[in-house]
Amino acid sequence: MGLAHFPPASLLLTSDDADNIVGMWHVTFTAEGNDGGPPDNTPIDNSIVTWHSDGTEIMNSGRPAQDGQFCMGVWKKTGRLKYKVNHFAWAGNDTTNAPSGVGNPAGPTHIVEEVTLSPDGKHYTGTFTLDAYDTSGNVTAHIIGVIRATRITMDTTVTDLL
């Protein structure tokens, strides 16, 4: 059998989208599908998120500072243009009945995200599960919903984020 019997060879680049998620994003979290929880289309968060090439991620949440507006996570690629994030907001303060406004310690929040990056790398969408805990580790809230994100670039303006 000679070489004439083999089809022409071609290269398939498997890492073209390896780190396309890396960068800064404007991300909204919206409740969807909660039985007895927040109604569909309830905004849960409006944040700025940075995905780092080392597999870590940080979010500056639009929630009040006493809720623990900075949170961090780790991410991994799960398929072509697909990613999963394991994310923690570490405590905060419950200002209910707090005369000084600082409040009582509140427990952490755990957010798991599964997202798909658009082929052009400018957007991602997906789902999230959020579980909030008290300081003893008891779940105090469980929310599921959808995520929508737009990449922040050098041309992004404040009005683009509103």
Side-chain angles (χ1 to χ4, degrees):
M1 186 185 273
L3 292 178
H5 292 41
F6 290 101
S10 63
L11 296 175
L12 174 63
L13 296 175
T14 59
S15 63
D16 277 353
D17 61 324
D19 289 330
N20 281 351
I21 198 78
V22 170
M24 185 179 284
W25 299 87
H26 175 228
V27 184
T28 59
F29 294 74
T30 306
E32 186 174 293
N34 293 280
D35 293 331
D40 287 356
N41 300 314
T42 299
I44 302 301
D45 204 348
N46 182 342
S47 58
I48 303 293
V49 175
T50 303
W51 296 60
H52 305 110
S53 61
D54 66 356
T56 61
E57 164 267 0
I58 188 166
M59 178 166 59
N60 182 359
S61 171
R63 300 194 56 82
Q66 66 268 15
D67 286 354
Q69 90 251 29
F70 272 93
C71 25
M72 298 179 282
V74 293
W75 64 269
K76 72 175 183 176
K77 187 171 182 168
T78 59
R80 186 171 189 283
L81 301 175
K82 295 189 179 295
Y83 303 85
K84 186 171 184 175
V85 179
N86 188 27
H87 183 97
F88 295 93
W90 196 248
N93 289 303
D94 175 7
T95 58
T96 305
N97 299 319
S100 68
V102 174
N104 301 311
T109 298
H110 182 214
I111 303 168
V112 175
E113 304 170 26
E114 294 193 29
V115 301
T116 301
L117 183 65
S118 63
D120 66 5
K122 296 180 181 179
H123 304 278
Y124 67 79
T125 58
T127 59
F128 73 91
T129 301
L130 180 154
D131 288 306
Y133 295 84
D134 64 18
T135 56
S136 296
N138 301 303
V139 174
T140 60
H142 174 78
I143 302 170
I144 59 173
V146 295
I147 299 169
R148 288 182 177 73
T150 302
R151 186 179 295 277
I152 295 175
T153 69
M154 292 298 292
D155 298 322
T156 301
T157 66
V158 169
T159 55
D160 294 331
L161 303 176
L162 300 176

